[in-house]
């Protein structure tokens, strides 16, 4: 696995720049171009808290995946990873258009979100997040047998951490804590030490803000 050119990812917030960055790391095959067009259509008129077009997120996640693995099925899954959850598109449609392997990966990514919703305490709870996050991590590792799904999810979390500044401080703290307890240890378990270090460093920036002042 390659290391990530993270500095270049940080500066991209437009669709054209995100697509150019993706194709810097993987050739624009017909399947990838079709998945990109499909994702753009599915996320049309959707925007992130930062105000940028939502499609920038899955494209940059796909670029990070391409940078690390160069695996086309994983890249396509990254492009489509929010389509099932956020739109009317179903797994059967993805299987029909992109094959069973991509559908399997997207289904695994959707399963992670389902497990997260079931295991993590609500954001409005006064309980500590750590206990439920540990339970979530344990369930995640036990339930997701395909390592590729976890790698795509780690790339998704990395880009979310890189854009965390657009959220309210309480939300930043919660997501950073979850990242530190759940995702950094999974990266370590998978032997992707530089990704573990990135996730830890980004989490610390939001969890220990007083030490930066």
């Amino acid at each position: 696995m390659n290391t990530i050119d993270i500095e270049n990812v940080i500066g991209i917030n437009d669709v054209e720049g995100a697509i150019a960055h993706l194709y810097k790391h993987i050739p624009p095959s017909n399947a990838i171009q079709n998945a990109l067009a499909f994702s753009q259509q599915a996320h049309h008129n959707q925007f992130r808290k930062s105000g940028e077009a939502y499609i920038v997120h899955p494209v940059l996640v796909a670029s990070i995946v391409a940078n690390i693995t160069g695996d086309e099925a994983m890249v396509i899954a990254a492009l489509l990873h929010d389509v099932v959850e956020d739109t009317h598109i179903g797994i059967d449609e993805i299987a029909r258009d992109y094959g069973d392997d991509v559908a399997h990966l997207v289904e695994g990514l959707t399963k992670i979100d389902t497990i997260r919703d079931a295991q993590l305490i609500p954001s409005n709870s006064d309980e500590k997040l750590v206990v439920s996050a540990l339970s979530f991590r344990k369930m995640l590792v036990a339930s997701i047998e395909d390592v590729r799904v976890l790698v795509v999810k780690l790339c998704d979390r990395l880009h979310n951490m890189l854009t965390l500044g657009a959220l309210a401080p309480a939300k930043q703290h919660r997501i950073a804590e979850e990242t530190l307890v759940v995702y950094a240890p999974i990266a370590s378990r998978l032997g992707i030490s530089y990704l573990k270090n990135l996730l830890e460093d980004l989490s610390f920036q939001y969890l220990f803000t007083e030490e930066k002042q």
Side-chain angles (χ1 to χ4, degrees), residues 5 39 54 79 88 136 194 199-200:
D5 61 340
S39 186
Y54 191 88
L79 286 170
H88 65 281
F136 169 43
Y194 62 88
L199 292 171
E200 286 181 343

Side-chain angles (χ1 to χ4, degrees), residues 158-184:
L158 174 59
H159 187 251
N160 281 331
M161 289 300 298
L162 291 171
T163 56
L164 203 55
L167 302 183
K171 190 76 170 177
Q172 292 173 347
H173 190 279
R174 178 181 173 83
I175 292 173
E177 192 172 21
E178 179 189 343
T179 299
L180 194 61
V181 175
V182 177
Y183 295 104

Side-chain angles (χ1 to χ4, degrees), residues 112-148:
I112 289 176
D113 292 330
T114 302
I115 296 171
R116 182 180 185 274
D117 291 342
Q119 294 294 322
L120 282 189
I121 58 172
S123 57
N124 59 357
S125 173
D126 291 330
E127 295 180 51
K128 291 288 187 181
L129 174 70
V130 173
V131 174
S132 65
L134 287 170
S135 176
F136 169 43
R137 188 180 81 201
K138 183 178 180 180
M139 184 72 72
L140 195 58
V141 171
S143 302
I144 305 300
E145 297 179 355
D146 193 330
V147 170
R148 296 176 301 164

Side-chain angles (χ1 to χ4, degrees), residues 3 8 13-15 17 29-30 34 37 55 58 66 70 73 93 106 124 139 157 187 192 195 199 204 211-212:
T3 55
N8 289 326
N13 54 21
D14 64 288
V15 180
S29 68
N30 288 337
N34 289 341
I55 185 62
E93 190 170 348
V106 174
N124 59 357
M139 184 72 72
R157 177 51 60 124
I192 316 175
L195 186 50
L199 292 171
F204 291 151
E211 294 182 11
K212 294 165 59 181

Side-chain angles (χ1 to χ4, degrees), residues 22-23 25-29 31-33 35-36 39 58-81 102 105-106 109 148 152:
L22 170 62
Y23 291 155
H25 294 293
I26 195 166
S29 68
I32 290 176
Q33 291 184 72
L36 174 59
S39 186
V59 174
L60 286 179
V61 173
S63 78
I64 295 170
V65 171
N67 188 179
I68 294 175
T69 72
D71 185 283
E72 182 173 276
M74 292 171 69
V75 169
I76 293 173
L79 286 170
L80 303 176
H81 78 273
V102 170
L105 295 174
V106 174
L109 291 161
R148 296 176 301 164
V152 175

